C-alpha cells in the first residue's frame, strides 16, 4: 500500500517537473523578444515566474549553506564552513589551503579568492577555481561542511547524548524497572536483539554484530526523523542523500566480507552445482559474485529512494500553490493552499511510518547478510 501511494505521487512529481520553467511577463502588453527588436532598441521587462523544478530540486539537494527562507530578494540562511585545497596555488598567491564561510559567496552570486559556486552545466552547484580571467579551470579538493554533513554531525551529537543518557540510567536503575528515555530505548534494543539479530545470525554469533546493528538502526532512524523537521539543525534529509546510504551499505558489505567463513566463499567461487554450470564458462560463480555486489547496491538504493521520495512529494504539494498562483492568479493559488497543506501533512505522517520501516529493513537485511556469511555448513 505504501509503495502504491508513493508510486502515484511520484508520477505526479514527474508530471509537474515536466512543465519546466513557468514565466510571467508583466507590462502594458506581452510580446516575444526577437533579435530584430533588440537591434532596434526595443526593451521588454520580463519577470521570471515560479520554477517548480528548481524549487523542488533545490530543497532536496545538498548545499553549502543552510537556507531558511527568502523575503523578496533577501535570502536568510546559516553559513557553513568552506574548506578547500587548491590544485593551482599560484593563482592564490601561493596559498593552497583555504578556509572561509559560505556567506562570502553571497548565495552563489559572487566569487571569493578565486573560487565560486559554478552555474555551468558540468559543475553546477559545485565550487570551482577561476583563472586570472575569471574562467572556470576545474574543481579544487573540496572537504567543506555542507548541509548534509552538518546534519550528520548534529544527529551524531543527539544520538550520543541519548545513548549515554540511557547507559547512565541503566546503570543507576540496575535491577529496577526502566524509566524515562531508557523506557523508550530498551524495548527497541531488545526487539533488534530478539527479532532481528538472533533469528538472522544465530544464538551463538549475534553478539559480535549487535553494536553495529544497533548503531545502524538508530543512526538511520534518527536521521529519518530529523529530515522531517524543517528547522535547522534538522531538515537536512541525510538518508535521502545517496552518498550517505552508499557509505552505510559499504559498511555492511565490508563487515560481511571480512567475517565470511570458508563455506561462504566456497559457495560463491565453487558452488555445489553441476559441473557444466561452472565449466567451461563459470556461469554460477559469476551469478554468485554479482549477488555479492548487488546486495549492498540494493541496500543503498532502497533507503535513498524511499526517503528522497517522501521529501519530493511534500515539496511538490507545496509548489502546487505557487504553480496555480502563477498560471491562474493569486486567488486560485490561495484556494489550492489548504488542499496542498493537508496532503503535505498526510505525506509527512506517512513518512514517520516509513522512517521506522526503512531503518528496520536496512538493519534486518544487514543481519541476514551477516548470518549468511557466518553460517556453518551442514
Amino acid at each position: 500500500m505504501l509503495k502504491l501511494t508513493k508510486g502515484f505521487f511520484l508520477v505526479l512529481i514527474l508530471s509537474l517537473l515536466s512543465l519546466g520553467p513557468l514565466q510571467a511577463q508583466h507590462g502594458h502588453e506581452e510580446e516575444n523578444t526577437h533579435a530584430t527588436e533588440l537591434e532596434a532598441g526595443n526593451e521588454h521587462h520580463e519577470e521570471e515566474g515560479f520554477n517548480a523544478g528548481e524549487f523542488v530540486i533545490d530543497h532536496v539537494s545538498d548545499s553549502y549553506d543552510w537556507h531558511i527562507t527568502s523575503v523578496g530578494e533577501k535570502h536568510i540562511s546559516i553559513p557553513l564552513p568552506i574548506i578547500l585545497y587548491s590544485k593551482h596555488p599560484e593563482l592564490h598567491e601561493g596559498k593552497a589551503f583555504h578556509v572561509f564561510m559560505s556567506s562570502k559567496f553571497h548565495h552563489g552570486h559572487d566569487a571569493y579568492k578565486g573560487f565560486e559556486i559554478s552555474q555551468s552545466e558540468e559543475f553546477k552547484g559545485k565550487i570551482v577555481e577561476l583563472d586570472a580571467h575569471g574562467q572556470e579551470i576545474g574543481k579544487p579538493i573540496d572537504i567543506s561542511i555542507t548541509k548534509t554533513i552538518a546534519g550528520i554531525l548534529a544527529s551524531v551529537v543527539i544520538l550520543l547524548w541519548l545513548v549515554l543518557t540511557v547507559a547512565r540510567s541503566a546503570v543507576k536503575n540496575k535491577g529496577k524497572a526502566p524509566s524515562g528515555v531508557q523506557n523508550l530505548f530498551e524495548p527497541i534494543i531488545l526487539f533488534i536483539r530478539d527479532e532481528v539479530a538472533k533469528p538472522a545470525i544465530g544464538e551463538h554469533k549475534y553478539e559480535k554484530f549487535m553494536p553495529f546493528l544497533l548503531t545502524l538502526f538508530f543512526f538511520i532512524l534518527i536521521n529519518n526523523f530529523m529530515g522531517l523537521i524543517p528547522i535547522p539543525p534538522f531538515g537536512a534529509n541525510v538518508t535521502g542523500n545517496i552518498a550517505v546510504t552508499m557509505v552505510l551499505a559499504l559498511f555492511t558489505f565490508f563487515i560481511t566480507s571480512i567475517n565470511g567463513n570458508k563455506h561462504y566463499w566456497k559457495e560463491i567461487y565453487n558452488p555445489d552445482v553441476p559441473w557444466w554450470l561452472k565449466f567451461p564458462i563459470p556461469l554460477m560463480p559469476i551469478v554468485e559474485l554479482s549477488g555479492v555486489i548487488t546486495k549492498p547496491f540494493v541496500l543503498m538504493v532502497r533507503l535513498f529512494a524511499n526517503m528522497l521520495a517522501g521529501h519530493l512529494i511534500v515539496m511538490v504539494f507545496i509548489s502546487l500553490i505557487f504553480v496555480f498562483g502563477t498560471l491562474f492568479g493569486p486567488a486560485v493559488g490561495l484556494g489550492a493552499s489548504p488542499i496542498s497543506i493537508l496532503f503535505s501533512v498526510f505525506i509527512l505522517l506517512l513518512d514517520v511510518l516509513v522512517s521506522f520501516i526503512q531503518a528496520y529493513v536496512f538493519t534486518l537485511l544487514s543481519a541476514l547478510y551477516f548470518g549468511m556469511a557466518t553460517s556453518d555448513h551442514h
Side-chain angles (χ1 to χ4, degrees):
M1 182 64 185
L2 291 175
K3 289 184 178 180
L4 288 175
T5 304
K6 285 202 170 183
F8 169 76
F9 287 124
L10 282 175
V11 172
L12 178 63
I13 290 174
L14 295 175
S15 301
L16 179 63
L17 295 182
S18 66
L19 291 175
L22 298 173
Q23 294 184 337
Q25 296 182 346
H26 302 280
H28 295 291
E29 59 182 16
E30 296 180 0
E31 301 178 0
N32 292 327
T33 304
H34 300 288
T36 53
E37 292 176 334
L38 291 174
E39 291 173 358
N42 293 330
E43 295 181 1
H44 298 276
H45 300 284
E46 190 176 279
E47 179 186 339
E48 281 202 12
F50 180 72
N51 189 319
E54 288 186 5
F55 174 79
V56 173
I57 297 302
D58 285 349
H59 279 76
V60 298
S61 301
D62 201 4
S63 62
Y64 290 101
D65 59 2
W66 209 308
H67 184 264
I68 299 174
T69 187
S70 297
V71 181
E73 296 297 324
K74 185 177 181 180
H75 302 284
I76 301 173
S77 61
I78 300 173
L80 297 171
I82 302 295
I83 307 171
L84 305 171
Y85 185 84
S86 173
K87 300 176 184 177
H88 304 280
E90 67 277 3
L91 297 174
H92 312 283
E93 300 177 352
K95 187 177 179 182
F97 195 68
H98 301 264
V99 180
F100 53 91
M101 299 302 290
S102 60
S103 56
K104 299 294 184 181
F105 288 133
H106 295 97
H107 307 286
H109 297 300
D110 296 334
Y112 181 74
K113 290 187 176 180
F115 302 99
E116 74 171 5
I117 299 177
S118 177
Q119 301 299 323
S120 65
E121 184 176 348
E122 183 179 4
F123 300 119
K124 185 173 178 62
K126 304 295 183 182
I127 294 179
V128 294
E129 288 191 78
L130 306 176
D131 61 16
H133 304 289
Q135 301 298 316
E136 297 181 6
I137 56 174
K139 296 193 300 181
I141 298 174
D142 188 353
I143 53 174
S144 303
I145 306 297
T146 62
K147 185 171 72 171
T148 298
I149 296 174
I152 292 174
L153 295 175
S155 69
V156 168
V157 171
I158 294 172
L159 189 56
L160 284 174
W161 173 71
L162 288 172
V163 170
L164 292 176
T165 300
V166 171
R168 284 196 299 268
S169 179
V171 172
K172 183 179 178 181
N173 299 327
K174 189 174 182 180
K176 302 178 182 178
S179 60
V181 182
Q182 182 190 355
N183 200 30
L184 174 65
F185 269 65
E186 191 169 297
I188 300 175
I189 294 171
L190 293 177
F191 174 79
I192 297 298
R193 185 192 69 182
D194 297 335
E195 303 298 330
V196 175
K198 283 185 179 181
I201 303 172
E203 290 280 348
H204 305 292
K205 298 179 181 179
Y206 79 93
E207 290 184 354
K208 179 180 180 180
F209 301 98
M210 275 298 291
F212 174 74
L213 293 175
L214 288 173
T215 302
L216 191 65
F217 178 83
F218 284 113
F219 177 81
I220 294 174
L221 183 64
I222 197 170
N223 277 290
N224 287 350
F225 284 157
M226 288 178 64
L228 302 178
I229 306 172
I231 304 171
F234 310 103
N237 192 22
V238 169
T239 47
N241 187 306
I242 198 167
V244 175
T245 60
M246 178 186 70
V247 171
L248 295 176
L250 285 176
F251 273 122
T252 296
F253 170 74
F254 286 127
I255 292 174
T256 303
S257 300
I258 291 169
N259 289 278
N261 57 25
K262 182 179 179 181
H263 173 66
Y264 172 74
W265 291 110
K266 176 186 176 299
E267 287 300 311
I268 292 175
Y269 291 105
N270 187 26
D272 294 327
V273 295
W275 66 268
W276 48 270
L277 291 175
K278 295 185 284 186
F279 301 101
I281 300 175
L283 181 61
M284 285 306 297
I286 291 174
V287 171
E288 292 290 343
L289 190 59
S290 65
V292 172
I293 299 171
T294 55
K295 285 173 185 175
F297 179 79
V298 169
L299 281 178
M300 171 186 72
V301 173
R302 178 186 284 109
L303 179 58
F304 159 72
N306 278 278
M307 300 317 300
L308 180 65
H311 287 260
L312 283 174
I313 294 167
V314 170
M315 297 316 302
V316 165
F317 278 126
I318 297 299
S319 67
L320 283 176
I321 300 171
F322 305 99
V323 169
F324 289 142
T326 303
L327 291 175
F328 307 111
V332 177
L334 185 62
S337 59
I339 300 174
S340 294
I341 293 172
L342 284 174
F343 272 107
S344 299
V345 172
F346 168 74
I347 294 299
L348 285 173
L349 293 175
L350 187 65
D351 262 352
V352 173
L353 176 61
V354 172
S355 296
F356 272 108
I357 292 173
Q358 291 306 314
Y360 167 73
V361 169
F362 200 107
T363 307
L364 175 62
L365 290 177
S366 296
L368 288 172
Y369 297 157
F370 300 157
M372 293 166 61
T374 58
S375 63
D376 297 321
H377 178 58
H378 299 290

